[in-house]
Amino acid sequence: MSQSVESVTRATFDEVMVPNYSPAAIIPVKGVGSKVWDQSGKEYIDFVAGIAVNSLGHSHPALLKALHEQGDQLWHVANVLTNEPALRLAKKLVDLTFADKVFFCNSGAEANEAALKLVRRYAFDHVGEEKHEIISTYGSFHGRTLFSVSVGGQAKYKEGFEPTPKGISHVPFNDLEALKAAMSDKTCAVIVEPIQGEGGVYPATQEFLQGARDLCDQYGALLVFDEIQTGVGRTGKLFAYEKYGVTPDVLTSAKALGGGFPIGAMLATDKVAASFVVGTHGSTFGGNPLACAVSEAAVNILSKPEVLAGVEARAETLVAALTDIGARYGLFSEIRHVGLLIGCELTEAFKNRAKEFVIAGYEEGVMLHVAGPNVLRLLPSLVMAEDEMAEGIRRIEKAVQRVVGAA
Ligand SMILES: *Cc1c(COP(=O)(O)O)cnc(C)c1O
């Protein structure tokens, strides 16, 4: 035999992978819609969607078609040339949002890195070097580059990586008075997730986002919305800012933008984007034709009114089921959600045991996720089929029974 397929198992991970993750015991090998199968052929109903990435489920025919067609044409050219898929996708995003200009990259952290550099550069261009302070919120998550962990509001992601960039401060999320007190003429930008995702699924209040907008205008600062988790349909709007009716100057997107193919984007107004003159920023893979072709196909579907309307319908079904299960087993003190970004806060009896539900879920053939130790997070495909949802809910209850029975 000339070809041998080496068998790899979960144990291989510990042998050859850097130990920064702790993946589950099973290894998925195939996915269709909201169903996933592991190496042994066991089926799972997927309520995680690659953490808000596979918003059209797995192996969506339109994405497969785009991937195959573009794969036959052109994969990569680098930014010494532009390409048709990138131009088409940028046009689409400009048409569908407040933005006039788009910068493509490959991940959420890179989109935020671009945004954070842009807001500094804009202030540098228009006012001067002293206007460089960035205000963020505690509990926020903005990615894992050094700049984005520094701006992120969770100390654990910075520990051991100091010194971090200077000129960054944090205020409590949804505390408009604290934000007011922190603002000054030195503030170049405020960055906020309209709904904190990793931090525990906490929606911003209308007052906070509107207040942040007003304060930014008052101090000549830019408002940046990190919509990497909340965007591309997750909340039932293409972007969550539409839901609030508060428009940022800069918006970052990734995760669902590529429907599973890695891509990130920073969207900005003309005036702000103008500060990224030739040579100020870049990315070899950013705007890659394959990524942009798949993303265009994803955005085409996820921006359809009927698809966005379907998000709220599915959210109602799922939240009602979780509320019912939660009540019968005394699980949740609160269920927070905007569209299909759902966080179930555990009661005192199950405090800090979110991970146990995820592990029990794998046993029962259902994929669940956490947002911190005390919140069970669900962020399924936005087009999840009715029968997948119903079967998934049955399996969630079985997983719950496992945890409760073992208590
Ligand atoms: C996931 C996420 C990021 C980081 O995205 P990566 O693609 O992992 O770099 C940044 N901000 C928010 C709000 C996220 O949910």
Side-chain angles (χ1 to χ4, degrees):
M1 280 209 290
S2 57
Q3 277 192 321
S4 79
V5 179
E6 274 197 61
S7 86
V8 288
T9 66
R10 173 61 180 78
T12 315
F13 180 93
D14 296 332
E15 287 165 24
V16 298
M17 301 282 265
V18 167
N20 61 317
Y21 302 117
S22 164
I26 58 123
I27 298 182
V29 295
K30 188 176 170 60
V32 177
S34 289
K35 286 183 180 157
V36 174
W37 291 269
D38 71 13
Q39 287 178 313
S40 74
K42 181 174 168 180
E43 180 199 279
Y44 303 81
I45 304 287
D46 184 2
F47 284 101
V48 185
I51 316 185
V53 168
N54 305 307
S55 288
L56 292 170
H58 300 269
S59 309
H60 191 285
L63 304 197
L64 280 172
K65 183 168 178 277
L67 182 70
H68 290 150
E69 284 180 3
Q70 189 59 40
D72 283 339
Q73 292 295 321
L74 185 71
W75 286 26
H76 178 78
V77 291
N79 289 298
V80 290
L81 298 161
T82 188
N83 68 79
E84 291 181 352
L87 295 170
R88 282 199 305 265
L89 177 60
K91 237 167 152 354
K92 188 143 287 162
L93 292 171
V94 164
D95 284 348
L96 289 167
T97 68
F98 74 94
D100 307 305
K101 293 285 196 288
V102 181
F103 168 80
F104 289 121
C105 50
N106 314 287
S107 68
E110 281 178 60
N112 283 336
E113 188 78 20
L116 295 165
K117 283 179 71 180
L118 177 62
V119 295
R120 283 228 170 131
R121 187 72 188 207
Y122 176 86
F124 175 86
D125 287 349
H126 292 267
V127 181
E129 198 174 319
E130 69 285 1
K131 190 174 178 68
H132 66 261
E133 289 181 0
I134 293 164
I135 302 177
S136 172
T137 60
Y138 287 116
S140 65
F141 181 79
H142 296 298
R144 298 298 199 108
T145 63
L146 192 58
F147 204 166
S148 58
V149 292
S150 308
V151 168
Q154 301 185 49
K156 65 181 178 200
Y157 295 135
K158 286 172 248 198
E159 199 177 282
F161 297 116
E162 291 93 351
T164 49
K166 293 190 176 65
I168 299 162
S169 64
H170 298 85
V171 299
F173 188 62
N174 279 338
D175 187 339
L176 187 55
E177 285 310 310
L179 180 60
K180 204 174 281 177
M183 297 285 301
S184 77
D185 290 334
K186 286 184 173 176
T187 307
C188 77
V190 173
I191 180 167
V192 61
E193 294 163 86
I195 300 128
Q196 285 192 343
E198 306 296 313
V201 189
Y202 290 100
T205 60
Q206 181 69 32
E207 299 69 48
F208 187 65
L209 291 192
Q210 186 60 58
R213 176 70 276 174
D214 295 343
L215 285 167
C216 283
D217 292 343
Q218 187 183 330
Y219 285 95
L222 299 174
L223 182 61
V224 182
F225 280 176
D226 178 343
E227 292 233 30
I228 290 160
Q229 190 155 155
T230 57
V232 203
R234 179 68 33 199
T235 66
K237 294 280 185 192
L238 188 60
F239 287 102
Y241 80 86
E242 302 167 52
K243 213 159 181 124
Y244 285 90
V246 177
T247 305
D249 302 291
V250 179
L251 180 150
T252 52
S253 179
K255 291 207 163 102
L257 185 61
F261 203 101
I263 184 170
M266 179 192 69
L267 280 57
T269 58
D270 257 331
K271 181 158 188 248
V272 176
S275 281
F276 262 0
V277 295
V278 173
T280 47
H281 194 58
S283 161
T284 296
F285 288 125
N288 170 281
L290 268 182
C292 291
V294 177
S295 175
E296 187 193 2
V299 172
N300 276 344
I301 299 172
L302 290 166
S303 60
K304 282 187 182 157
E306 62 270 28
V307 172
L308 294 170
V311 172
E312 207 40 66
R314 283 168 181 77
E316 269 175 36
T317 304
L318 186 51
V319 169
L322 291 167
T323 304
D324 170 54
I325 294 170
R328 283 187 287 114
Y329 297 91
L331 294 182
F332 308 130
S333 57
E334 184 179 43
I335 297 179
R336 296 181 290 272
H337 85 104
V338 182
L340 280 169
L341 177 51
I342 303 170
C344 310
E345 181 100 28
L346 294 168
T347 52
E348 204 54 45
F350 296 95
K351 202 166 179 63
N352 295 334
R353 291 173 61 189
K355 196 93 195 270
E356 287 178 44
F357 290 88
V358 175
I359 293 166
Y362 287 118
E363 300 286 339
E364 295 296 343
V366 62
M367 293 179 167
L368 306 168
H369 195 43
V370 301
N374 207 40
V375 174
L376 200 58
R377 183 168 35 147
L378 287 82
L379 11 58
S381 155
L382 307 184
V383 295
M384 192 174 203
E386 231 171 272
D387 60 331
E388 293 170 330
M389 174 86 81
E391 179 57 24
I393 289 166
R394 275 192 287 277
R395 294 183 193 180
I396 290 173
E397 178 156 8
K398 283 190 185 162
V400 164
Q401 285 169 345
R402 252 179 205 268
V403 176
V404 172

